Amino acid sequence: MQLESLLNSWSDFETRILTLVDKLGLTELKLECDHASLRVNTPDAAEKLTDAFGDLGDIISNNMINGRPILIIKLNTPLNLGPFTVPCIELPYPGSKQYPNEGWEHIELVLPCDATDCDTLEQALIAKVPAIAAVLTGDSPFKVKRSSPQGEAERLPNPTLAFGLDGLTVKVHPHGIEAIVASEQA
């Protein structure tokens, strides 16, 4: 996976991911998109992308999450994604799972709220988008995953709701990635 091919695939990813955002009823909320994430299957690909992204921004976090390094790269110039600007890229080094497709995999949207667990986050999201209740109960083609990923030094709880469909995922969480990184420094 080369950076050039990754950036060339952004337009297709943009079209497909914005369709998912719209299907979820999240478009009208005008949420912040704090980062986009990609998937690679080899440490060599991750190293090459780490080096290449070094020319486009700075690594603001290199943290172990679920047993593998995950880098957060703050871009010098944010990427445009429809109505969103995407200031950061998440580059997870591969774990034991092999992905059917390498490249862009998900975006994460910030629903500002005081949720410290997935149940509270769900209620905050349903209050804004009542129709998403059916998705959360499994009455839709979306695969829903609830998690509370946490880096070794994070102090800010950031429960996450992930909505997957057709190899792409839209995640919603209460705090932006830069706030999470800042919590590591506290």
Side-chain angles (χ1 to χ4, degrees):
M1 165 98 4
Q2 300 291 326
L3 181 60
E4 182 178 344
S5 64
L6 189 63
L7 294 176
N8 286 338
S9 69
W10 182 257
S11 179
D12 178 59
F13 172 71
E14 176 181 33
T15 300
R16 293 175 60 222
I17 202 78
L18 290 176
T19 298
L20 291 188
V21 171
D22 196 50
K23 284 182 180 180
L24 288 165
L26 301 176
T27 303
E28 300 305 315
L29 293 182
K30 300 186 185 325
L31 301 174
E32 170 195 352
C33 179
D34 67 334
H35 70 280
S37 184
L38 51 109
R39 295 292 183 247
V40 295
N41 284 328
T42 67
D44 183 56
E47 286 291 332
K48 286 179 180 172
L49 285 172
T50 298
D51 291 343
F53 272 115
D55 294 335
L56 301 179
D58 297 311
I59 296 171
I60 61 170
S61 178
N62 181 350
N63 209 340
M64 293 296 288
I65 299 176
N66 298 329
R68 64 187 175 140
I70 296 184
L71 305 181
I72 304 297
I73 301 147
K74 182 171 174 111
L75 300 171
N76 297 329
T77 303
L79 294 171
N80 291 316
L81 184 77
F84 304 109
T85 56
V86 182
C88 296
I89 301 298
E90 178 183 70
L91 174 55
Y93 274 60
S96 58
K97 181 178 180 180
Q98 289 289 297
Y99 295 94
N101 299 307
E102 292 184 295
W104 301 111
E105 194 266 345
H106 74 259
I107 61 169
E108 299 201 20
L109 303 176
V110 179
L111 178 67
C113 65
D114 294 328
T116 57
D117 59 53
C118 289
D119 290 339
T120 308
L121 181 58
E122 282 187 33
Q123 293 310 311
L125 186 56
I126 291 168
K128 299 276 188 186
V129 184
I132 208 161
V135 175
L136 289 163
T137 60
D139 190 19
S140 82
F142 282 92
K143 180 181 175 185
V144 179
K145 181 180 176 187
R146 296 155 178 88
S147 64
S148 294
Q150 190 168 18
E152 292 176 346
E154 285 177 21
R155 290 171 174 76
L156 189 61
N158 205 27
T160 302
L161 301 173
F163 303 94
L165 184 67
D166 298 331
L168 296 177
T169 303
V170 174
K171 296 184 178 185
V172 176
H173 53 171
H175 303 289
I177 195 69
E178 290 186 69
I180 296 300
V181 170
S183 81
E184 297 171 357
Q185 313 303 319

